[in-house]
């Protein structure tokens, strides 16, 4: 084998004078991040084809404000194929039929703020993988790399009607790292659970959390001043890094053009050595993607004044903010958020557990909606995510008590279409429209009744939860550990 290789080298050397120079190695215009591969390229275990499903006889909540009584929804090939009145939607011969008479049908619920899988159940130190609190700015870490698909909380979330989640790093750092959006199929790895084509997110945090974590160690930041400084410093370095990448791309293009001219015209000057690319920096690559608008920014931020400061900082440094999370004082700047088209992910009534969470109102989401902003009701909890529709109902009731002209269709948007918009996936989920992903929930009654619960939950047309069928465990972790009632 060695002799053969050496002979090839000698033949090549002898022919060097007569052979054209090798073409320069092709390099991308920009350095791709190691996280940029879409889920489709990494799927090692594709989902089997879903059987066609006809759901008929119920009240269909389309999600855009339209309801269809005695309606029908046809699912096939992972998509919503038809929505209309019963009898207007044809039933394929091989369809699995769901009798929804007296029931309600909605789009699958979307939660923009979850730590399932990175802070899984049981909540013990061995499972705590959501915060890399070794540096106040860690844009180079990625929640997907810590996500445990065996987390028992995922199964419970699906039983509550949730079909899509954004998994975020925690809020211990000023920049916590990348988030990932997942479809809730029972799978063996986070990579194959990725929502196809969904933009990545970047988790950032202002306020008490970062300054408490690092101030207690005598490190920076120990104040809100330090928080802003660390953010500004990180993004200024990212802008310089992006400039070096662009300069390299320009020099590389010039080199390749000169090389092609030299090959075509022997009298043309030969180019010098090709330029060297900048040394890769995974964290600065992430922030450069944010500056280019390829990654959505999600900021843990409670106080209204800090949200305004973050908007000003984003303007200064050249990035956009998708969503303020928790945002207990968002109602104070509802007009600003509406004008800037910035989303607010809020709780219904969590407050008072720390100083920056004191000044809120249960009507937060309702005030935002009435002002023309786009609130969504998030969970930040493996318990709350099981009752996301009830959380939205509480927020709606608080707004109605104030006299705001809102209805249950508005509340449905807070847990379907609005969070889908915040994640950049509203063209595929959030409403029951032809061509969208077949994420559908059948409820025993109105989704906003405390007495209602899902009977069927479909994800991409696959029946991932059915209330009345024998229990099947998603997580091997639970096998043999749960006490189950055996029917006589």
């Amino acid at each position: 084998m060695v002799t053969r290789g050496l002979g090839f080298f000698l033949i090549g050397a002898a022919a060097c004078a007569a052979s054209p120079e090798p073409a320069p190695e092709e390099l991308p215009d920009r350095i791709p991040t190691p996280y940029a591969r879409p889920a489709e390229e990494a799927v090692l275990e594709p989902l089997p084809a879903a059987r066609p499903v006809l759901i008929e006889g119920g009240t269909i909540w389309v999600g855009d404000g339209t309801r269809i009584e005695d309606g029908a929804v046809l699912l096939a090939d992972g998509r919503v194929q038809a929505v209309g009145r019963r009898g207007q939607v044809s039933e394929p011969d091989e369809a699995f039929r769901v009798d929804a008479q007296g029931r309600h049908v909605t789009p699958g619920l979307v939660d923009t703020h979850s730590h399932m899988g990175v802070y899984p159940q049981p909540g013990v130190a061995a499972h705590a993988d959501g915060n890399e609190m070794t540096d106040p700015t860690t844009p180079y870490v990625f929640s997907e790399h810590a996500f445990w698909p065996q987390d028992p909380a995922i199964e419970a979330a699906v039983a509550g009607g949730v079909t899509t989640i954004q998994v975020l790093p925690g809020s211990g750092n000023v920049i916590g790292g990348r988030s990932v959006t997942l479809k809730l199929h029972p799978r063996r790895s986070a990579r194959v659970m990725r929502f196809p084509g969904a933009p990545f997110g970047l988790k950032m945090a202002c306020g008490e959390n970062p300054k408490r974590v690092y101030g207690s160690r005598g490190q920076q930041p120990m104040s809100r001043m330090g928080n802003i400084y660390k953010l500004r410093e990180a993004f200024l370095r990212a802008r310089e890094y992006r400039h070096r990448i662009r300069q390299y791309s320009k020099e590389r293009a010039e080199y390749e053009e000169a090389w092609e001219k030299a090959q075509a015209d022997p009298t043309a000057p030969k180019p010098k050595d090709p330029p060297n690319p900048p040394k890769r920096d995974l964290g600065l690559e992430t922030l450069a993607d944010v500056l280019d608008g390829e990654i959505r920014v999600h900021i843990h931020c409670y106080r209204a004044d800090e949200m305004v400061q973050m908007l000003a900082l984003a303007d200064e440094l050249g990035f956009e903010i998708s969503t303020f999370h928790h945002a207990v004082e968002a109602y104070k700047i509802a007009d600003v958020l509406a004008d800037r088209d910035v989303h607010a992910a809020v709780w219904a009534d969590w407050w008072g557990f720390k100083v920056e969470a004191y000044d809120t109102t249960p009507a937060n989401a309702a005030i935002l909606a009435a002002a023309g902003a786009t609130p969504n009701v998030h969970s930040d909890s493996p318990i709350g995510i099981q009752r996301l529709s009830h959380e939205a109902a509480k927020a709606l009731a608080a707004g109605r008590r104030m006299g705001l002209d809102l209805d249950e269709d508005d509340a449905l948007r807070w847990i379907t279409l609005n969070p889908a918009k915040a994640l950049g996936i509203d063209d595929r989920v959030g409403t029951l429209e032809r061509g969208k992903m077949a994420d559908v929930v059948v409820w025993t009654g109105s989704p906003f009744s405390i007495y209602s619960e899902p009977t069927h939950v479909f994800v991409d047309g696959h029946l991932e939860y059915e209330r009345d069928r024998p229990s099947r465990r998603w997580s091997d972790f639970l096998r043999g550990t749960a006490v189950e009632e055996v029917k006589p």
Side-chain angles (χ1 to χ4, degrees):
M1 188 72 175
V2 173
T3 305
R4 181 181 176 186
L6 180 60
F8 177 80
F9 171 79
L10 294 174
I11 294 170
C16 183
S19 301
E21 294 184 17
E25 178 188 1
E26 291 186 7
L27 293 175
D29 290 338
R30 62 191 305 278
I31 300 172
T33 75
Y35 318 122
R37 292 183 62 206
E40 297 91 327
E41 294 181 13
V43 172
L44 304 177
E45 43 177 330
L47 286 167
R51 181 181 174 185
V53 177
L54 181 67
I55 304 168
E56 61 176 354
T59 300
I60 312 298
W61 302 54
V62 177
D64 60 359
T66 305
R67 294 193 212 176
I68 304 172
E69 299 295 339
D70 196 23
V73 181
L74 176 63
L75 314 178
D77 300 322
R79 299 281 173 173
V80 176
Q81 299 296 334
V83 180
R85 294 293 299 270
R86 181 159 59 168
Q88 296 176 339
V89 176
S90 60
E91 178 181 356
D93 293 337
E94 70 280 17
F96 171 67
R97 187 174 176 275
V98 177
D99 183 2
Q101 187 72 35
R103 298 180 179 180
H104 292 243
V105 182
T106 71
L109 309 189
V110 180
D111 189 355
T112 60
H113 193 114
S114 178
H115 300 298
M116 289 192 306
V118 296
Y119 282 111
Q121 303 302 306
V124 295
H127 277 162
D129 290 312
N131 266 307
E132 181 60 35
M133 291 184 294
T134 54
D135 189 310
T137 57
T138 57
Y140 40 79
V141 300
F142 190 8
S143 61
E144 180 182 302
H145 297 155
F147 184 84
W148 185 42
Q150 291 280 295
D151 183 357
I154 300 171
E155 181 178 353
V158 175
V162 177
T163 57
T164 300
I165 61 172
Q166 178 181 218
V167 179
L168 294 151
S171 54
N173 293 341
V174 174
I175 301 177
R178 288 186 180 232
S179 67
V180 64
T181 300
L182 303 177
K183 298 298 287 285
L184 296 187
H185 293 287
R187 311 294 275 160
R188 292 184 292 181
S189 75
R191 176 61 65 93
V192 297
M193 293 174 69
R194 276 191 194 174
F195 190 116
F200 290 122
L202 178 69
K203 173 68 176 296
M204 293 163 50
C206 54
E208 292 182 21
N209 284 19
K211 77 189 192 81
R212 182 185 69 247
V213 169
Y214 291 93
S216 65
R217 305 175 187 174
Q219 294 178 236
Q220 194 178 68
M222 65 179 301
S223 69
R224 285 179 165 85
M225 296 183 293
N227 287 348
I228 295 293
Y229 164 71
K230 297 302 289 187
L231 284 173
R232 181 178 278 116
E233 178 192 45
F235 275 98
L236 288 177
R237 288 192 292 114
R239 287 170 65 175
E240 294 173 1
Y241 182 78
R242 183 177 64 166
H243 175 73
R244 292 197 300 271
I245 292 175
R246 289 177 174 176
Q247 185 64 29
Y248 163 73
S249 297
K250 178 176 177 291
E251 293 172 359
R252 181 76 192 187
E254 292 172 349
Y255 168 79
E256 292 178 355
E257 182 181 1
W259 185 88
E260 290 173 0
K261 287 182 179 179
Q263 296 300 302
D265 181 3
T267 65
K270 292 185 177 181
K272 297 179 181 180
D273 292 338
N276 293 319
K279 182 180 178 181
R280 294 191 67 178
D281 185 305
L282 301 184
L284 295 181
E285 284 180 12
T286 292
L287 298 183
D289 282 348
V290 169
L291 293 170
D292 286 340
E294 296 184 13
I295 293 179
R296 294 186 167 230
V297 173
H298 297 269
I299 306 181
H300 160 118
C301 205
Y302 285 71
R303 287 183 1 190
D305 62 307
E306 287 194 276
M307 288 182 246
V308 172
Q309 282 197 15
M310 295 305 297
L311 289 169
L313 187 68
D315 290 343
E316 173 195 335
L317 297 173
F319 65 87
E320 294 185 358
I321 297 171
S322 168
T323 310
F324 287 115
H325 288 245
H326 309 333
V328 298
E329 294 186 13
Y331 66 96
K332 297 182 180 181
I333 55 168
D335 57 331
V336 175
L337 298 179
D339 183 63
R340 296 289 296 259
D341 193 25
V342 174
H343 302 264
V346 301
W347 293 296
D349 52 8
W350 283 23
W351 70 282
F353 46 89
K354 55 181 173 177
V355 174
E356 65 184 1
Y358 268 34
D359 198 7
T360 192
T361 169
N364 196 5
I367 294 171
L368 289 163
T374 48
N376 66 77
V377 174
H378 68 347
S379 73
D380 192 27
S381 161
I383 305 301
I385 197 172
Q386 300 174 39
R387 298 163 180 84
L388 211 55
S389 62
H390 296 164
E391 295 300 302
K394 289 191 290 184
L396 174 64
R400 283 174 162 175
R401 285 194 296 269
M402 287 184 63
L404 298 177
D405 185 18
L406 299 169
D407 59 26
E408 291 180 337
D409 290 294
D410 293 301
L412 183 64
R413 292 188 187 95
W414 302 344
I415 50 177
T416 54
L417 185 57
N418 284 6
K421 288 180 178 178
L423 298 178
I425 55 175
D426 54 298
D427 59 332
R428 284 158 285 176
V429 296
T431 57
L432 295 180
E433 298 178 84
R434 178 179 170 81
K436 285 197 171 183
M437 291 176 165
D439 296 353
V440 184
V441 185
V442 181
W443 305 78
T444 55
S446 165
F448 300 111
S449 168
I450 194 69
Y451 302 107
S452 293
E453 61 179 320
T455 62
H456 300 76
V457 179
F458 295 90
V459 185
D460 294 318
H462 291 266
L463 181 59
E464 300 296 10
Y465 171 77
E466 185 176 1
R467 185 189 60 172
D468 296 331
R469 69 176 168 175
S471 174
R472 68 182 179 97
R473 293 295 185 192
W474 282 28
S475 175
D476 290 339
F477 189 81
L478 288 180
R479 289 193 182 278
T481 65
V483 177
E484 298 181 6
E485 180 180 353
V486 178
K487 293 182 179 180

